[in-house]
Amino acid sequence: KQQDFEAYNKLTYLAEPAAALSYVAFGDSITRGADHNNNYEPMEYPYPRLVGEALELKSVQNLASSGAVFCANDNGNVCMTDRITSYVDEADIISVWLGFNDWARSFPLGSIEDKTNTTIYGCLYLIAEHLTTVHKDVFVFFITPYKTSLIRNEYYTLPDVVNAIKEVAAIYDIPVLDMYNVGNFELEMYDEISDGVHPTPEFVREYTAPQITEFIKENYLSNVNVEFVES
């Protein structure tokens, strides 16, 4: 189900803050929290909100859109690359979790030389260039797609997308949380209630959110002086 991006863009989770840090999450339906057991309506607690609560952040903005992709297209899918590269607001932590929908729709993979928003590689270049230039003091990280039980693309594989994310991220020294290889999604995707793509609220709470929380702790919070505020 498509979600109007501008309306969803206003969704901000506010907790009782301990650390004076803000988190912005870009992504597709997994970041938005689409629950396949509830007509793909958003979960009350998608992973960005759970991460914000676990780290006691000042604020969390979930800027995801169901069906979002890297690539510009005529299919009606939100080109998240354009959204990200126009984002100039302040943030302390920014994550990007995309790629599954591009693969599922056979959008062009491209090559490492690409620098336009019409291929996955080109979009990764544009996103990495923007985030490391405009948001150079921000902790930026990429997340790779989960594994899936579905086969939707005869031109390239989902691991090809994962490798593209890693390859471009390495050039810009952007950390990558490889959910394809460490996301434990095998536990979910063959379950009789799973659609093979979207994790359940229980899986998000038990696996996805804790993994992302620990990744932020290990790769960012352990290396910075966090300013704490009264809650």
Side-chain angles (χ1 to χ4, degrees):
K1 177 188 286 187
Q2 289 291 330
Q3 172 76 12
D4 181 80
F5 181 87
E6 296 301 334
Y8 198 68
N9 187 32
K10 298 175 183 178
L11 181 56
T12 301
Y13 310 115
L14 294 174
E16 292 294 328
L21 298 173
S22 59
Y23 172 33
V24 175
F26 291 99
D28 52 30
S29 57
I30 291 179
T31 298
R32 180 173 177 264
D35 184 353
H36 63 274
N37 291 317
N38 187 29
N39 198 30
Y40 294 94
E41 290 299 316
M43 305 171 186
E44 183 179 2
Y45 289 90
Y47 78 79
R49 182 173 185 176
L50 292 170
V51 169
E53 291 186 359
L55 296 177
E56 298 184 280
L57 302 180
K58 177 177 65 177
S59 68
V60 176
Q61 267 200 303
N62 189 334
L63 303 189
S65 180
S66 290
V69 294
F70 279 121
C71 298
N73 63 92
D74 297 324
N75 294 11
N77 298 92
V78 170
C79 175
M80 196 58 68
T81 298
D82 292 345
R83 304 289 188 178
I84 297 171
T85 55
S86 63
Y87 184 81
V88 295
D89 293 345
E90 292 185 1
D92 297 292
I93 303 167
I94 295 177
S95 66
V96 178
W97 192 350
L98 294 163
F100 180 88
N101 290 321
D102 298 82
W103 168 78
R105 290 156 179 77
S106 300
F107 291 161
L109 178 65
S111 67
I112 193 64
E113 291 82 15
D114 293 345
K115 301 189 186 308
T116 69
N117 68 353
T118 57
T119 69
I120 293 174
Y121 267 105
C123 289
L124 284 163
Y125 162 78
L126 294 172
I127 291 171
E129 182 73 15
H130 174 80
L131 292 180
T132 57
T133 302
V134 176
H135 301 279
K136 59 183 179 181
D137 296 323
V138 175
F139 175 61
V140 174
F141 67 102
F142 291 163
I143 306 173
T144 73
Y146 278 128
K147 290 181 179 177
T148 179
S149 57
L150 307 180
I151 300 174
R152 295 187 173 181
N153 189 327
E154 62 183 74
Y155 303 103
Y156 57 89
T157 67
L158 195 53
D160 288 333
V161 177
V162 173
N163 291 335
I165 292 170
K166 290 180 176 180
E167 190 174 359
V168 175
I171 295 172
Y172 288 88
D173 199 25
I174 294 174
V176 177
L177 174 52
D178 184 359
M179 284 295 197
Y180 189 87
N181 289 298
V182 302
N184 297 320
F185 200 57
E186 296 95 330
L187 299 173
E188 169 86 2
M189 64 185 178
Y190 294 114
D191 191 292
E192 62 181 11
I193 65 171
S194 173
D195 65 355
V197 177
H198 298 88
T200 63
E202 294 76 19
F203 188 92
V204 170
R205 183 178 292 277
E206 185 172 353
Y207 293 101
T208 308
Q211 284 185 291
I212 296 173
T213 298
E214 289 305 310
F215 187 86
I216 294 173
K217 285 181 179 179
E218 293 174 6
N219 291 274
Y220 176 57
L221 296 182
S222 63
N223 300 316
V224 299
N225 293 319
V226 179
E227 177 186 354
F228 286 89
V229 298
E230 293 184 4
S231 59

